[in-house]
Amino acid sequence: DGGITQSPKYLFRKEGQNVTLSCEQNLNHDAMYWYRQDPGQGLRLIYYSQIVNDFQKGDIAEGYSVSREKKESFPLTVTSAQKNPTAFYLCASSTGGSNEKLFFGSGTQLSVL
Amino acid sequence: AQSVTQLDSQVPVFEEAPVELRCNYSSSVSVYLFWYVQYPNQGLQLLLKYLSGSTLVKGINGFEAEFNKSQTSFHLRKPSVHISDTAEYFCAVSEYAGGTSYGKLTFGQGTILTVHP
């Protein structure tokens, strides 16, 4: 089946620790995105990538980093600089056009110990 | 910059009743409009989208939405809801100005629809 796979489903971070969230897609999509979801705030864009080896900051990039070394993969690292990392993180992909729908993964819930 | 406001954070309704979830947007250029649905602990899936043409757009699961440019609104409606429609609904907008914006969506805050038996 084609789709987006996020792992792990649940992740716990200790103080001062960096953690990496995985996102893989087999839809052959050029564009990939990371959103953060907090209750009552909707989804906010962290980073997006339109093509391999290129990515741009979204609205709340501070404390996060990404890489796009392969078309299928867009991992997100939550660094120790992100002081409030507890949230639900959603990865998405699309063909890249502004009129195209996003395909979403099932999300990763990150909590701080 | 674009922005999206969903006017109701929660909407309770009884089964088989009609429902309207309200969405207003702000943008200085033309936009594409979307409604997504999220079931508990899952990702989002597209309900419908407005790109151009007829202002009344029909989507999956019996939902429809009407684009009103003068009021900058894109309200979602269903004439008769089911228990299974209980979920969170997000309105989203993507700007374009002759080129592409690479699908960079701005989402509203979400509306939790709860359908009671």
Short mmCIF file of all heavy atoms in Angstrom, two decimals, chain A residues 9-10 31 33 35 37-45 48 50 57-59 88 90 94 96-107, chain B residues 6 9 32 34 36 38 40-46 49 51 88 90 93-97 99-110:
data_model
loop_
_atom_site.label_atom_id
_atom_site.label_comp_id
_atom_site.label_asym_id
_atom_site.label_seq_id
_atom_site.Cartn_x
_atom_site.Cartn_y
_atom_site.Cartn_z
N LYS A 9 5.31 5.79 17.22
CA LYS A 9 4.00 6.37 17.49
C LYS A 9 4.04 7.23 18.75
O LYS A 9 3.39 8.26 18.85
CB LYS A 9 2.96 5.26 17.64
CG LYS A 9 1.52 5.76 17.66
CD LYS A 9 0.56 4.59 17.58
CE LYS A 9 -0.89 5.07 17.61
NZ LYS A 9 -1.23 5.89 16.44
N TYR A 10 4.82 6.77 19.73
CA TYR A 10 5.01 7.52 20.98
C TYR A 10 6.50 7.66 21.25
O TYR A 10 7.27 6.70 21.03
CB TYR A 10 4.34 6.82 22.16
CG TYR A 10 2.85 6.64 22.00
CD1 TYR A 10 2.33 5.44 21.53
CD2 TYR A 10 1.98 7.67 22.31
CE1 TYR A 10 0.97 5.28 21.37
CE2 TYR A 10 0.60 7.51 22.17
CZ TYR A 10 0.12 6.32 21.69
OH TYR A 10 -1.25 6.16 21.54
N ALA A 31 7.31 16.86 -2.54
CA ALA A 31 7.24 17.76 -1.38
C ALA A 31 6.89 17.00 -0.11
O ALA A 31 6.05 16.09 -0.11
CB ALA A 31 6.18 18.84 -1.63
N TYR A 33 6.46 17.69 4.39
CA TYR A 33 6.20 18.73 5.38
C TYR A 33 6.19 18.13 6.79
O TYR A 33 5.81 16.98 6.97
CB TYR A 33 4.82 19.37 5.15
CG TYR A 33 4.54 19.74 3.72
CD1 TYR A 33 4.06 18.79 2.82
CD2 TYR A 33 4.73 21.04 3.26
CE1 TYR A 33 3.80 19.12 1.50
CE2 TYR A 33 4.46 21.37 1.94
CZ TYR A 33 4.00 20.40 1.07
OH TYR A 33 3.73 20.74 -0.24
N TYR A 35 4.43 19.20 10.48
CA TYR A 35 3.54 20.08 11.23
C TYR A 35 3.56 19.67 12.70
O TYR A 35 3.69 18.50 13.04
CB TYR A 35 2.10 19.96 10.72
CG TYR A 35 1.85 20.66 9.41
CD1 TYR A 35 2.00 19.99 8.20
CD2 TYR A 35 1.44 21.99 9.37
CE1 TYR A 35 1.75 20.62 7.00
CE2 TYR A 35 1.18 22.64 8.17
CZ TYR A 35 1.35 21.95 6.99
OH TYR A 35 1.11 22.58 5.80
N GLN A 37 1.09 19.85 16.11
CA GLN A 37 -0.30 20.04 16.49
C GLN A 37 -0.39 20.14 18.00
O GLN A 37 0.03 19.22 18.71
CB GLN A 37 -1.18 18.90 15.97
CG GLN A 37 -2.66 19.09 16.27
CD GLN A 37 -3.52 18.00 15.69
OE1 GLN A 37 -3.05 16.93 15.30
NE2 GLN A 37 -4.81 18.24 15.62
N ASP A 38 -0.93 21.24 18.48
CA ASP A 38 -1.22 21.44 19.89
C ASP A 38 -2.73 21.65 20.03
O ASP A 38 -3.35 22.28 19.17
CB ASP A 38 -0.48 22.67 20.43
CG ASP A 38 1.03 22.51 20.37
OD1 ASP A 38 1.56 21.85 21.29
OD2 ASP A 38 1.66 22.99 19.41
N PRO A 39 -3.31 21.17 21.12
CA PRO A 39 -4.77 21.31 21.29
C PRO A 39 -5.21 22.76 21.17
O PRO A 39 -4.65 23.65 21.80
CB PRO A 39 -4.98 20.77 22.71
CG PRO A 39 -3.85 19.84 22.94
CD PRO A 39 -2.68 20.44 22.23
N GLY A 40 -6.23 22.98 20.36
CA GLY A 40 -6.80 24.32 20.21
C GLY A 40 -6.00 25.26 19.34
O GLY A 40 -6.39 26.42 19.17
N GLN A 41 -4.87 24.79 18.80
CA GLN A 41 -4.04 25.68 17.97
C GLN A 41 -3.94 25.22 16.53
O GLN A 41 -3.24 25.84 15.74
CB GLN A 41 -2.64 25.81 18.57
CG GLN A 41 -2.61 26.45 19.93
CD GLN A 41 -1.20 26.80 20.37
OE1 GLN A 41 -0.42 27.35 19.60
NE2 GLN A 41 -0.87 26.46 21.60
N GLY A 42 -4.58 24.15 16.20
CA GLY A 42 -4.49 23.68 14.83
C GLY A 42 -3.11 23.14 14.52
O GLY A 42 -2.39 22.70 15.41
N LEU A 43 -2.75 23.16 13.26
CA LEU A 43 -1.45 22.66 12.82
C LEU A 43 -0.57 23.85 12.44
O LEU A 43 -1.01 24.76 11.74
CB LEU A 43 -1.60 21.75 11.59
CG LEU A 43 -2.01 20.31 11.84
CD1 LEU A 43 -3.45 20.21 12.31
CD2 LEU A 43 -1.82 19.49 10.57
N ARG A 44 0.68 23.80 12.87
CA ARG A 44 1.63 24.85 12.52
C ARG A 44 2.82 24.22 11.81
O ARG A 44 3.35 23.21 12.25
CB ARG A 44 2.07 25.59 13.79
CG ARG A 44 0.96 26.42 14.43
CD ARG A 44 1.44 27.12 15.68
NE ARG A 44 1.70 26.20 16.77
CZ ARG A 44 2.32 26.52 17.89
NH1 ARG A 44 2.78 27.77 18.07
NH2 ARG A 44 2.50 25.62 18.84
N LEU A 45 3.24 24.87 10.74
CA LEU A 45 4.29 24.33 9.88
C LEU A 45 5.66 24.55 10.50
O LEU A 45 6.04 25.67 10.83
CB LEU A 45 4.20 25.00 8.51
CG LEU A 45 5.17 24.49 7.44
CD1 LEU A 45 4.89 23.03 7.10
CD2 LEU A 45 5.06 25.36 6.19
N TYR A 48 9.48 22.50 5.60
CA TYR A 48 9.00 21.81 4.42
C TYR A 48 10.13 21.70 3.40
O TYR A 48 11.09 22.48 3.42
CB TYR A 48 7.76 22.48 3.82
CG TYR A 48 7.95 23.88 3.31
CD1 TYR A 48 8.00 24.15 1.95
CD2 TYR A 48 8.01 24.96 4.19
CE1 TYR A 48 8.14 25.44 1.48
CE2 TYR A 48 8.15 26.26 3.73
CZ TYR A 48 8.21 26.50 2.37
OH TYR A 48 8.35 27.79 1.91
N GLN A 50 10.73 20.93 -0.82
CA GLN A 50 10.11 20.80 -2.14
C GLN A 50 10.85 19.80 -3.02
O GLN A 50 10.30 19.32 -4.02
CB GLN A 50 10.09 22.17 -2.82
CG GLN A 50 9.36 23.22 -2.02
CD GLN A 50 9.79 24.63 -2.38
OE1 GLN A 50 10.59 24.83 -3.29
NE2 GLN A 50 9.28 25.61 -1.67
N LYS A 57 12.42 26.79 6.23
CA LYS A 57 11.78 26.94 7.53
C LYS A 57 10.32 27.30 7.35
O LYS A 57 9.95 28.06 6.46
CB LYS A 57 12.48 28.03 8.33
CG LYS A 57 13.90 27.69 8.74
CD LYS A 57 14.51 28.82 9.57
CE LYS A 57 15.93 28.46 10.00
NZ LYS A 57 16.54 29.56 10.81
N GLY A 58 9.52 26.75 8.24
CA GLY A 58 8.12 27.14 8.30
C GLY A 58 7.94 28.24 9.34
O GLY A 58 8.83 29.04 9.60
N ASP A 59 6.78 28.22 9.98
CA ASP A 59 6.44 29.29 10.92
C ASP A 59 7.06 29.13 12.31
O ASP A 59 7.20 30.10 13.04
CB ASP A 59 4.91 29.37 11.05
CG ASP A 59 4.25 29.65 9.71
OD1 ASP A 59 4.78 30.49 8.96
OD2 ASP A 59 3.23 29.00 9.41
N PHE A 88 1.86 16.73 19.27
CA PHE A 88 1.62 15.68 18.28
C PHE A 88 2.23 16.17 16.98
O PHE A 88 1.94 17.27 16.52
CB PHE A 88 0.11 15.47 18.15
CG PHE A 88 -0.30 14.26 17.37
CD1 PHE A 88 0.16 13.00 17.70
CD2 PHE A 88 -1.18 14.37 16.31
CE1 PHE A 88 -0.23 11.88 17.00
CE2 PHE A 88 -1.59 13.25 15.59
CZ PHE A 88 -1.11 12.00 15.94
N LEU A 90 3.01 15.74 12.95
CA LEU A 90 2.46 15.13 11.74
C LEU A 90 3.36 15.41 10.55
O LEU A 90 3.77 16.54 10.32
CB LEU A 90 1.07 15.68 11.46
CG LEU A 90 -0.04 15.16 12.37
CD1 LEU A 90 -1.25 16.06 12.31
CD2 LEU A 90 -0.43 13.74 11.98
N SER A 94 3.13 15.72 -0.66
CA SER A 94 2.26 16.05 -1.78
C SER A 94 3.10 16.10 -3.05
O SER A 94 4.35 16.06 -2.99
CB SER A 94 1.56 17.39 -1.56
OG SER A 94 2.44 18.47 -1.83
N GLY A 96 3.37 18.66 -4.72
CA GLY A 96 4.08 19.93 -4.64
C GLY A 96 3.29 21.14 -5.10
O GLY A 96 3.60 22.25 -4.72
N GLY A 97 2.26 20.94 -5.89
CA GLY A 97 1.47 22.08 -6.34
C GLY A 97 0.62 22.64 -5.23
O GLY A 97 0.19 21.93 -4.34
N SER A 98 0.35 23.94 -5.29
CA SER A 98 -0.42 24.58 -4.22
C SER A 98 -1.88 24.15 -4.23
O SER A 98 -2.60 24.38 -3.26
CB SER A 98 -0.33 26.09 -4.34
OG SER A 98 -0.78 26.50 -5.62
N ASN A 99 -2.34 23.51 -5.31
CA ASN A 99 -3.72 23.04 -5.35
C ASN A 99 -3.84 21.56 -5.05
O ASN A 99 -4.91 20.98 -5.18
CB ASN A 99 -4.33 23.34 -6.72
CG ASN A 99 -3.53 22.68 -7.83
OD1 ASN A 99 -2.41 22.21 -7.61
ND2 ASN A 99 -4.09 22.63 -9.03
N GLU A 100 -2.74 20.96 -4.66
CA GLU A 100 -2.75 19.53 -4.41
C GLU A 100 -2.98 19.20 -2.94
O GLU A 100 -2.51 19.91 -2.06
CB GLU A 100 -1.41 18.91 -4.84
CG GLU A 100 -1.14 19.02 -6.33
CD GLU A 100 -2.17 18.25 -7.15
OE1 GLU A 100 -2.64 17.20 -6.65
OE2 GLU A 100 -2.49 18.68 -8.26
N LYS A 101 -3.66 18.09 -2.69
CA LYS A 101 -3.93 17.73 -1.31
C LYS A 101 -2.68 17.15 -0.68
O LYS A 101 -1.80 16.63 -1.36
CB LYS A 101 -5.07 16.74 -1.23
CG LYS A 101 -4.75 15.33 -1.67
CD LYS A 101 -5.93 14.42 -1.40
CE LYS A 101 -5.61 12.97 -1.71
NZ LYS A 101 -6.77 12.07 -1.42
N LEU A 102 -2.64 17.25 0.65
CA LEU A 102 -1.58 16.64 1.43
C LEU A 102 -2.01 15.27 1.90
O LEU A 102 -3.16 15.05 2.27
CB LEU A 102 -1.24 17.51 2.64
CG LEU A 102 -0.14 18.58 2.47
CD1 LEU A 102 -0.48 19.55 1.37
CD2 LEU A 102 0.14 19.28 3.78
N PHE A 103 -1.07 14.35 1.88
CA PHE A 103 -1.26 13.03 2.45
C PHE A 103 -0.53 13.02 3.78
O PHE A 103 0.66 13.34 3.84
CB PHE A 103 -0.70 11.95 1.53
CG PHE A 103 -1.46 11.78 0.26
CD1 PHE A 103 -1.31 12.67 -0.79
CD2 PHE A 103 -2.34 10.71 0.09
CE1 PHE A 103 -2.01 12.52 -1.98
CE2 PHE A 103 -3.04 10.54 -1.09
CZ PHE A 103 -2.87 11.44 -2.13
N PHE A 104 -1.22 12.63 4.84
CA PHE A 104 -0.64 12.69 6.18
C PHE A 104 -0.30 11.31 6.72
O PHE A 104 -1.00 10.32 6.43
CB PHE A 104 -1.62 13.35 7.15
CG PHE A 104 -1.69 14.84 7.03
CD1 PHE A 104 -2.50 15.44 6.09
CD2 PHE A 104 -0.92 15.65 7.86
CE1 PHE A 104 -2.56 16.82 5.97
CE2 PHE A 104 -0.96 17.03 7.75
CZ PHE A 104 -1.79 17.62 6.80
N GLY A 105 0.75 11.26 7.53
CA GLY A 105 1.02 10.09 8.33
C GLY A 105 0.11 10.06 9.55
O GLY A 105 -0.69 10.97 9.76
N SER A 106 0.28 9.03 10.37
CA SER A 106 -0.60 8.87 11.53
C SER A 106 -0.06 9.55 12.77
O SER A 106 -0.69 9.49 13.83
CB SER A 106 -0.83 7.39 11.80
OG SER A 106 0.40 6.73 11.97
N GLY A 107 1.10 10.19 12.67
CA GLY A 107 1.58 11.05 13.74
C GLY A 107 2.46 10.39 14.77
O GLY A 107 2.46 9.17 14.93
N GLN B 6 -11.42 29.52 12.44
CA GLN B 6 -12.59 28.66 12.58
C GLN B 6 -13.36 29.18 13.79
O GLN B 6 -12.82 29.25 14.89
CB GLN B 6 -12.17 27.21 12.74
CG GLN B 6 -11.58 26.66 11.45
CD GLN B 6 -11.21 25.19 11.54
OE1 GLN B 6 -10.05 24.83 11.39
NE2 GLN B 6 -12.20 24.35 11.80
N SER B 9 -14.93 26.34 18.34
CA SER B 9 -13.96 25.33 18.73
C SER B 9 -14.63 23.96 18.94
O SER B 9 -14.00 22.93 18.73
CB SER B 9 -13.24 25.74 20.01
OG SER B 9 -14.16 25.93 21.05
N TYR B 32 -6.51 28.81 -2.62
CA TYR B 32 -7.21 27.54 -2.70
C TYR B 32 -7.66 27.21 -1.27
O TYR B 32 -6.95 27.52 -0.31
CB TYR B 32 -6.28 26.43 -3.20
CG TYR B 32 -5.76 26.65 -4.61
CD1 TYR B 32 -4.39 26.65 -4.86
CD2 TYR B 32 -6.62 26.80 -5.68
CE1 TYR B 32 -3.90 26.82 -6.15
CE2 TYR B 32 -6.15 26.97 -6.97
CZ TYR B 32 -4.78 26.98 -7.20
OH TYR B 32 -4.30 27.16 -8.48
N PHE B 34 -9.42 24.32 1.56
CA PHE B 34 -9.51 22.89 1.86
C PHE B 34 -10.22 22.67 3.20
O PHE B 34 -10.14 23.52 4.09
CB PHE B 34 -8.11 22.27 1.98
CG PHE B 34 -7.21 22.47 0.78
CD1 PHE B 34 -6.55 23.68 0.59
CD2 PHE B 34 -7.02 21.45 -0.13
CE1 PHE B 34 -5.72 23.87 -0.51
CE2 PHE B 34 -6.18 21.62 -1.23
CZ PHE B 34 -5.54 22.83 -1.42
N TYR B 36 -10.13 19.43 5.96
CA TYR B 36 -9.58 18.13 6.33
C TYR B 36 -10.30 17.64 7.58
O TYR B 36 -10.76 18.43 8.41
CB TYR B 36 -8.09 18.24 6.64
CG TYR B 36 -7.19 18.35 5.43
CD1 TYR B 36 -6.96 19.57 4.81
CD2 TYR B 36 -6.56 17.22 4.90
CE1 TYR B 36 -6.13 19.67 3.69
CE2 TYR B 36 -5.72 17.31 3.80
CZ TYR B 36 -5.51 18.54 3.20
OH TYR B 36 -4.69 18.62 2.10
N GLN B 38 -9.87 14.88 10.96
CA GLN B 38 -8.94 14.08 11.75
C GLN B 38 -9.71 13.26 12.78
O GLN B 38 -10.37 13.82 13.65
CB GLN B 38 -7.92 14.98 12.46
CG GLN B 38 -6.86 14.20 13.24
CD GLN B 38 -5.88 15.12 13.95
OE1 GLN B 38 -6.23 16.20 14.41
NE2 GLN B 38 -4.63 14.70 14.03
N PRO B 40 -9.59 10.49 15.97
CA PRO B 40 -8.68 10.44 17.13
C PRO B 40 -7.41 9.66 16.87
O PRO B 40 -7.44 8.55 16.32
CB PRO B 40 -9.55 9.77 18.20
CG PRO B 40 -10.95 10.16 17.84
CD PRO B 40 -10.99 10.18 16.34
N ASN B 41 -6.30 10.28 17.25
CA ASN B 41 -4.97 9.66 17.16
C ASN B 41 -4.58 9.25 15.74
O ASN B 41 -3.85 8.27 15.54
CB ASN B 41 -4.87 8.45 18.09
CG ASN B 41 -5.08 8.84 19.53
OD1 ASN B 41 -4.51 9.82 20.01
ND2 ASN B 41 -5.94 8.10 20.22
N GLN B 42 -5.08 9.99 14.79
CA GLN B 42 -4.74 9.70 13.40
C GLN B 42 -4.27 10.97 12.69
O GLN B 42 -4.35 12.08 13.23
CB GLN B 42 -5.95 9.14 12.66
CG GLN B 42 -6.39 7.78 13.14
CD GLN B 42 -7.51 7.22 12.28
OE1 GLN B 42 -7.64 7.56 11.11
NE2 GLN B 42 -8.32 6.36 12.87
N GLY B 43 -3.77 10.79 11.48
CA GLY B 43 -3.45 11.93 10.65
C GLY B 43 -4.70 12.53 10.06
O GLY B 43 -5.82 12.14 10.37
N LEU B 44 -4.51 13.53 9.18
CA LEU B 44 -5.64 14.20 8.55
C LEU B 44 -5.91 13.59 7.19
O LEU B 44 -4.99 13.11 6.52
CB LEU B 44 -5.32 15.69 8.37
CG LEU B 44 -5.49 16.60 9.58
CD1 LEU B 44 -4.46 16.31 10.66
CD2 LEU B 44 -5.42 18.05 9.15
N GLN B 45 -7.15 13.66 6.78
CA GLN B 45 -7.50 13.25 5.42
C GLN B 45 -8.40 14.31 4.79
O GLN B 45 -9.20 14.95 5.47
CB GLN B 45 -8.15 11.87 5.39
CG GLN B 45 -9.34 11.69 6.28
CD GLN B 45 -9.85 10.26 6.27
OE1 GLN B 45 -10.52 9.84 5.35
NE2 GLN B 45 -9.50 9.50 7.30
N LEU B 46 -8.27 14.46 3.48
CA LEU B 46 -8.97 15.52 2.78
C LEU B 46 -10.45 15.19 2.64
O LEU B 46 -10.83 14.10 2.21
CB LEU B 46 -8.36 15.71 1.39
CG LEU B 46 -8.97 16.83 0.55
CD1 LEU B 46 -8.62 18.19 1.15
CD2 LEU B 46 -8.48 16.74 -0.89
N LYS B 49 -12.04 20.21 -1.51
CA LYS B 49 -11.23 21.39 -1.79
C LYS B 49 -11.91 22.25 -2.83
O LYS B 49 -12.65 21.76 -3.69
CB LYS B 49 -9.82 21.00 -2.26
CG LYS B 49 -9.78 20.21 -3.56
CD LYS B 49 -8.33 19.86 -3.90
CE LYS B 49 -8.26 19.07 -5.20
NZ LYS B 49 -6.84 18.70 -5.54
N LEU B 51 -10.91 24.93 -5.77
CA LEU B 51 -9.82 25.49 -6.57
C LEU B 51 -10.33 26.64 -7.43
O LEU B 51 -9.73 27.71 -7.48
CB LEU B 51 -9.19 24.41 -7.45
CG LEU B 51 -8.66 23.16 -6.71
CD1 LEU B 51 -8.04 22.19 -7.69
CD2 LEU B 51 -7.66 23.56 -5.63
N GLU B 88 -12.39 15.86 14.52
CA GLU B 88 -11.98 17.25 14.48
C GLU B 88 -11.82 17.65 13.01
O GLU B 88 -11.24 16.90 12.22
CB GLU B 88 -10.68 17.49 15.24
CG GLU B 88 -10.33 18.96 15.40
CD GLU B 88 -9.32 19.22 16.49
OE1 GLU B 88 -8.66 18.29 16.96
OE2 GLU B 88 -9.18 20.42 16.88
N PHE B 90 -10.63 20.59 10.16
CA PHE B 90 -9.73 21.71 9.95
C PHE B 90 -9.96 22.35 8.59
O PHE B 90 -10.00 21.65 7.56
CB PHE B 90 -8.26 21.24 10.02
CG PHE B 90 -7.83 20.79 11.38
CD1 PHE B 90 -7.91 19.45 11.73
CD2 PHE B 90 -7.33 21.70 12.29
CE1 PHE B 90 -7.50 19.03 13.00
CE2 PHE B 90 -6.92 21.28 13.55
CZ PHE B 90 -7.02 19.95 13.90
N VAL B 93 -5.95 26.97 4.01
CA VAL B 93 -5.85 27.81 2.83
C VAL B 93 -4.43 27.77 2.28
O VAL B 93 -3.47 27.69 3.04
CB VAL B 93 -6.28 29.26 3.16
CG1 VAL B 93 -5.42 29.83 4.27
CG2 VAL B 93 -6.22 30.15 1.95
N SER B 94 -4.34 27.80 0.97
CA SER B 94 -3.05 27.84 0.29
C SER B 94 -3.08 28.99 -0.70
O SER B 94 -3.97 29.06 -1.54
CB SER B 94 -2.82 26.51 -0.44
OG SER B 94 -1.64 26.55 -1.21
N GLU B 95 -2.10 29.87 -0.59
CA GLU B 95 -2.06 31.03 -1.47
C GLU B 95 -1.40 30.71 -2.79
O GLU B 95 -0.52 29.85 -2.87
CB GLU B 95 -1.30 32.18 -0.80
CG GLU B 95 -2.02 32.83 0.36
CD GLU B 95 -1.25 34.00 0.92
OE1 GLU B 95 -0.01 33.97 0.88
OE2 GLU B 95 -1.89 34.94 1.40
N TYR B 96 -1.83 31.41 -3.84
CA TYR B 96 -1.11 31.35 -5.10
C TYR B 96 -1.23 32.71 -5.77
O TYR B 96 -2.17 33.46 -5.56
CB TYR B 96 -1.66 30.25 -6.01
CG TYR B 96 -3.03 30.51 -6.57
CD1 TYR B 96 -3.20 31.06 -7.84
CD2 TYR B 96 -4.16 30.21 -5.83
CE1 TYR B 96 -4.47 31.30 -8.34
CE2 TYR B 96 -5.43 30.45 -6.32
CZ TYR B 96 -5.58 30.98 -7.58
OH TYR B 96 -6.83 31.22 -8.08
N ALA B 97 -0.20 33.02 -6.58
CA ALA B 97 -0.20 34.32 -7.26
C ALA B 97 0.46 34.16 -8.62
O ALA B 97 1.47 34.77 -8.91
CB ALA B 97 0.53 35.36 -6.43
N GLY B 99 2.01 31.66 -9.64
CA GLY B 99 2.98 30.56 -9.58
C GLY B 99 2.51 29.52 -8.60
O GLY B 99 1.35 29.45 -8.25
N THR B 100 3.41 28.75 -8.11
CA THR B 100 3.01 27.73 -7.14
C THR B 100 3.53 28.11 -5.76
O THR B 100 4.53 28.80 -5.63
CB THR B 100 3.59 26.36 -7.52
OG1 THR B 100 5.01 26.47 -7.59
CG2 THR B 100 3.03 25.88 -8.82
N SER B 101 2.82 27.67 -4.76
CA SER B 101 3.28 27.90 -3.39
C SER B 101 3.65 26.59 -2.73
O SER B 101 3.80 26.50 -1.54
CB SER B 101 2.21 28.61 -2.58
OG SER B 101 1.05 27.83 -2.51
N TYR B 102 3.80 25.57 -3.54
CA TYR B 102 4.29 24.28 -3.09
C TYR B 102 3.47 23.70 -1.96
O TYR B 102 4.03 23.07 -1.07
CB TYR B 102 5.77 24.38 -2.72
CG TYR B 102 6.59 24.74 -3.94
CD1 TYR B 102 6.99 26.03 -4.18
CD2 TYR B 102 6.92 23.75 -4.88
CE1 TYR B 102 7.70 26.34 -5.33
CE2 TYR B 102 7.62 24.07 -6.02
CZ TYR B 102 8.02 25.37 -6.24
OH TYR B 102 8.73 25.68 -7.37
N GLY B 103 2.18 23.91 -2.00
CA GLY B 103 1.31 23.25 -1.05
C GLY B 103 1.49 23.68 0.38
O GLY B 103 1.16 22.94 1.31
N LYS B 104 2.00 24.85 0.62
CA LYS B 104 2.23 25.33 1.98
C LYS B 104 0.90 25.81 2.53
O LYS B 104 0.44 26.89 2.23
CB LYS B 104 3.28 26.43 1.97
CG LYS B 104 3.68 26.96 3.33
CD LYS B 104 4.88 27.86 3.17
CE LYS B 104 5.18 28.60 4.45
NZ LYS B 104 4.28 29.73 4.66
N LEU B 105 0.30 24.98 3.36
CA LEU B 105 -1.02 25.27 3.88
C LEU B 105 -0.97 25.99 5.21
O LEU B 105 -0.09 25.73 6.03
CB LEU B 105 -1.80 23.97 4.08
CG LEU B 105 -2.25 23.20 2.83
CD1 LEU B 105 -3.00 21.95 3.25
CD2 LEU B 105 -3.11 24.05 1.95
N THR B 106 -1.93 26.87 5.41
CA THR B 106 -2.16 27.46 6.74
C THR B 106 -3.48 26.91 7.24
O THR B 106 -4.49 26.98 6.54
CB THR B 106 -2.22 28.99 6.65
OG1 THR B 106 -0.96 29.48 6.22
CG2 THR B 106 -2.56 29.58 8.02
N PHE B 107 -3.43 26.34 8.44
CA PHE B 107 -4.61 25.69 9.01
C PHE B 107 -5.30 26.57 10.03
O PHE B 107 -4.66 27.38 10.73
CB PHE B 107 -4.20 24.37 9.70
CG PHE B 107 -3.87 23.27 8.76
CD1 PHE B 107 -2.60 23.15 8.21
CD2 PHE B 107 -4.83 22.33 8.40
CE1 PHE B 107 -2.29 22.12 7.33
CE2 PHE B 107 -4.53 21.29 7.52
CZ PHE B 107 -3.26 21.19 6.98
N GLY B 108 -6.61 26.37 10.17
CA GLY B 108 -7.34 26.97 11.26
C GLY B 108 -7.11 26.18 12.54
O GLY B 108 -6.40 25.17 12.55
N GLN B 109 -7.75 26.63 13.60
CA GLN B 109 -7.52 26.04 14.93
C GLN B 109 -8.25 24.72 15.13
O GLN B 109 -7.99 24.02 16.10
CB GLN B 109 -7.95 27.03 16.02
CG GLN B 109 -7.25 28.37 15.94
CD GLN B 109 -7.99 29.37 15.07
OE1 GLN B 109 -8.70 29.02 14.13
NE2 GLN B 109 -7.82 30.64 15.39
N GLY B 110 -9.17 24.40 14.23
CA GLY B 110 -9.90 23.15 14.35
C GLY B 110 -11.23 23.31 15.04
O GLY B 110 -11.39 24.16 15.93
#
